[in-house]
Amino acid sequence: MLNYVHSFLRWAILLAGIWAVIRSLRGVTGKTPFTAADSKAGLFFMIFCDLQLLVGLILMFVSPLAKQGFADMGVAMKTPVLRFFTVEHEVMAVIAIALVHIGKSKIKKAATDAQKHKLGLIFFGLALIVILALIPWPFREALGKGWF
């Protein structure tokens, strides 16, 4: 059940992240004012990321795959799928969520609308790239080594 929630939230994060990046990009290229809609886009991106983190932390303790990986880290590090779900996925998720939170905080403190849009584009864009890399897409294993 939690796997389904975690998987569903992925799509909410992707949509909110794309929305936040597009609003920031439009603000940078169009030199538009930073509006409440721009702020909400970043806020929804952050909220969905935080919910995903909560569900992911619970999964770390109840998922058979995570339990298997944490039981023997030596084997997990030699097995691509276990390494991904035991180490890589979690580390990248924390980095992405940190980028979203840092970006949201810096946007609040920025003096001008142009700075706010630029910071949103940088931090939300980087977070979205990391998120795209941490998602276990169906084609990852077909590539053999994944994206790394």
Side-chain angles (χ1 to χ4, degrees):
M1 175 66 180
L2 280 176
N3 277 334
Y4 293 116
V5 173
H6 199 62
S7 184
F8 172 78
L9 278 171
R10 157 186 39 185
W11 300 111
I13 288 170
L14 286 175
L15 290 175
I18 291 168
W19 179 38
V21 169
I22 288 172
R23 291 209 57 94
S24 296
L25 183 61
R26 288 178 57 202
V28 168
T29 59
K31 300 184 187 334
T32 60
F34 191 84
T35 65
D38 297 315
S39 183
K40 285 181 184 176
L43 180 64
F44 280 112
F45 189 29
M46 186 174 71
I47 288 169
F48 289 136
C49 284
D50 290 346
L51 287 171
Q52 186 75 311
L53 176 65
L54 180 62
V55 174
L57 286 172
I58 295 168
L59 275 172
M60 277 181 58
F61 295 103
V62 299
S63 165
L65 194 58
K67 285 181 182 179
Q68 182 183 359
F70 288 121
D72 189 349
M73 287 299 286
V75 170
M77 295 306 286
K78 294 175 187 169
T79 310
V81 172
L82 284 178
R83 183 181 63 239
F84 177 79
F85 284 107
T86 308
V87 179
E88 296 167 3
H89 188 73
E90 288 85 347
V91 169
M92 287 189 290
V94 169
I95 291 169
I97 292 168
L99 285 167
V100 172
H101 276 270
I102 291 167
K104 191 78 172 114
S105 175
K106 286 189 172 285
I107 288 168
K108 271 188 199 176
K109 296 175 185 175
T112 66
D113 290 341
Q115 287 176 325
K116 291 178 181 189
H117 286 301
K118 183 178 177 183
L119 289 166
L121 184 59
I122 291 168
F123 282 95
F124 298 155
L126 288 173
L128 193 58
I129 290 168
V130 173
I131 288 166
L132 287 169
L134 73 84
I135 293 174
W137 299 105
F139 56 83
R140 280 184 68 119
E141 296 311 313
L143 296 175
K145 294 183 181 179
W147 291 355
F148 305 103

